[in-house]
Amino acid sequence: MKKTALYFLLFSYAMVILKPVAPYVSDAVAHIFYYSQHMATVHYENGKMHVHREIVNNEKKDQPSKEIPASKKENSANDHISLQVKQSVQSIPVIRSYQIIATASLLNNYLAAEYPPPRA
């Protein structure tokens, strides 16, 4: 019983992973094994770009609407975290007769401390 459940989980996971390439595989199988029937039906009705149309329709169907209410948006921690990076070696670039003096505040553009995210 455990093996059957594991095989079922493996099969379902593989189908989810391979779903984007399924139209290409089914079209290739149809061209190999059912060429005349495939050409007479699918290509006659939809043309030679039928796989592209099918993929575009699947993407439109799978994508949720772009308008998400502000109350349902997920706030990720990446929006509120800044990493503090310190440079150990600083060099002053020299251009022929002109010297550009760069201060530490210009070279290290980071926050002095990590601040917690704002409270809602």
Side-chain angles (χ1 to χ4, degrees), residues 73-110:
K73 284 187 180 177
E74 293 182 23
N75 293 329
S76 65
N78 293 335
D79 296 339
H80 306 289
I81 295 175
S82 66
L83 299 175
Q84 185 174 359
V85 179
K86 293 183 180 180
Q87 296 178 353
S88 60
V89 178
Q90 297 179 357
S91 62
I92 300 173
V94 178
I95 301 174
R96 294 195 184 181
S97 63
Y98 300 103
Q99 289 185 352
I100 298 174
I101 300 173
T103 62
S105 64
L106 292 177
L107 291 176
N108 296 328
N109 190 7
Y110 60 87

Side-chain angles (χ1 to χ4, degrees), residues 32-49:
I32 293 170
F33 295 110
Y34 312 108
Y35 182 76
S36 58
Q37 181 184 3
H38 180 72
M39 292 303 261
T41 56
V42 177
H43 281 271
Y44 180 73
E45 293 175 7
N46 300 324
K48 62 183 193 179
M49 297 297 286

Side-chain angles (χ1 to χ4, degrees), residues 18-33 51 55:
L18 296 176
K19 183 181 178 186
V21 295
Y24 295 111
V25 172
S26 66
D27 187 54
V29 168
H31 274 271
I32 293 170
F33 295 110
V51 177
I55 289 174

